[in-house]
Amino acid sequence: MDELVERVDRQDRVLGVVTRRQAIREGWLHRIASTVCRDERGRFLVHRRSEQLSRFPGLYEVMVGGAVGVGESYEQAAGRELAEELGIRGLPRLLFTFINRSGLSPHWLGVHEAVVPDAVTRDPDEVAWHGWLTEPELHSALLEWRFTPDSHEAFSRYLVFRTAQS
């Protein structure tokens, strides 16, 4: 069954409930929550999506995430996705949102950050592999490995946000 999402406008206000498949097909804005995960040493969690996923199978990602469900906040959705994909409990911190046009269809992307334990319990149906990379290693990987389209955009915005905060 296709998941239900809230169709939203350019100000991120709810217009109604649609299926995610319909939102993608029609190019309607909806919400996605993603989390940049770091460990205590500052390394970034990178993972490769399972080959059986319908969206971007086998590609790498800098973030863990998925669609924001009906009635969910960005933070709640990000926390749910962390639990489902990596077995991590807790609410990540929302940093910023923006309209992302680099995925399958335009959507509001809520970018979160979380410090997580080194040991994660990945869901093999979602995550085929995961590893920890330093920032220089991640920059090299972004040039050499095949990442999802929104990984580049969201991560570069994350770095700008982080730099502005320090």
Side-chain angles (χ1 to χ4, degrees), residues 37-51:
C37 298
R38 301 183 74 177
D39 68 6
E40 295 287 338
R41 293 183 278 173
R43 296 178 304 169
F44 292 92
L45 178 75
V46 175
H47 72 279
R48 191 176 74 245
R49 296 172 58 82
S50 170
E51 292 291 341

Side-chain angles (χ1 to χ4, degrees), residues 146-164:
R146 290 186 55 225
F147 279 82
T148 59
D150 56 353
S151 284
H152 292 277
E153 175 77 15
F155 189 66
S156 66
R157 287 177 182 250
Y158 167 81
L159 292 175
V160 168
F161 177 88
R162 195 180 72 186
T163 301

Side-chain angles (χ1 to χ4, degrees), residues 74-113:
Y74 284 105
E75 293 91 342
Q76 289 167 329
R80 176 179 46 76
E81 291 290 337
L82 278 178
E84 289 173 5
E85 295 183 22
L86 300 176
I88 297 169
R89 301 277 177 229
L91 283 181
R93 182 173 66 103
L94 179 62
L95 303 178
F96 58 90
T97 61
F98 71 99
I99 295 178
N100 182 11
R101 299 191 183 283
S102 61
L104 290 175
S105 69
H107 55 272
W108 275 96
L109 184 62
V111 178
H112 301 73
E113 181 178 56

Side-chain angles (χ1 to χ4, degrees), residues 24-71:
I24 291 170
R25 183 180 65 240
E26 300 295 333
W28 293 336
L29 289 172
H30 55 290
R31 296 176 179 143
I32 304 292
S34 65
T35 303
V36 175
C37 298
R38 301 183 74 177
D39 68 6
E40 295 287 338
R41 293 183 278 173
R43 296 178 304 169
F44 292 92
L45 178 75
V46 175
H47 72 279
R48 191 176 74 245
R49 296 172 58 82
S50 170
E51 292 291 341
Q52 58 224 24
L53 292 174
S54 61
R55 296 174 186 96
F56 308 115
L59 297 188
Y60 290 90
E61 284 195 294
V62 177
M63 304 165 297
V64 174
V68 176
V70 176

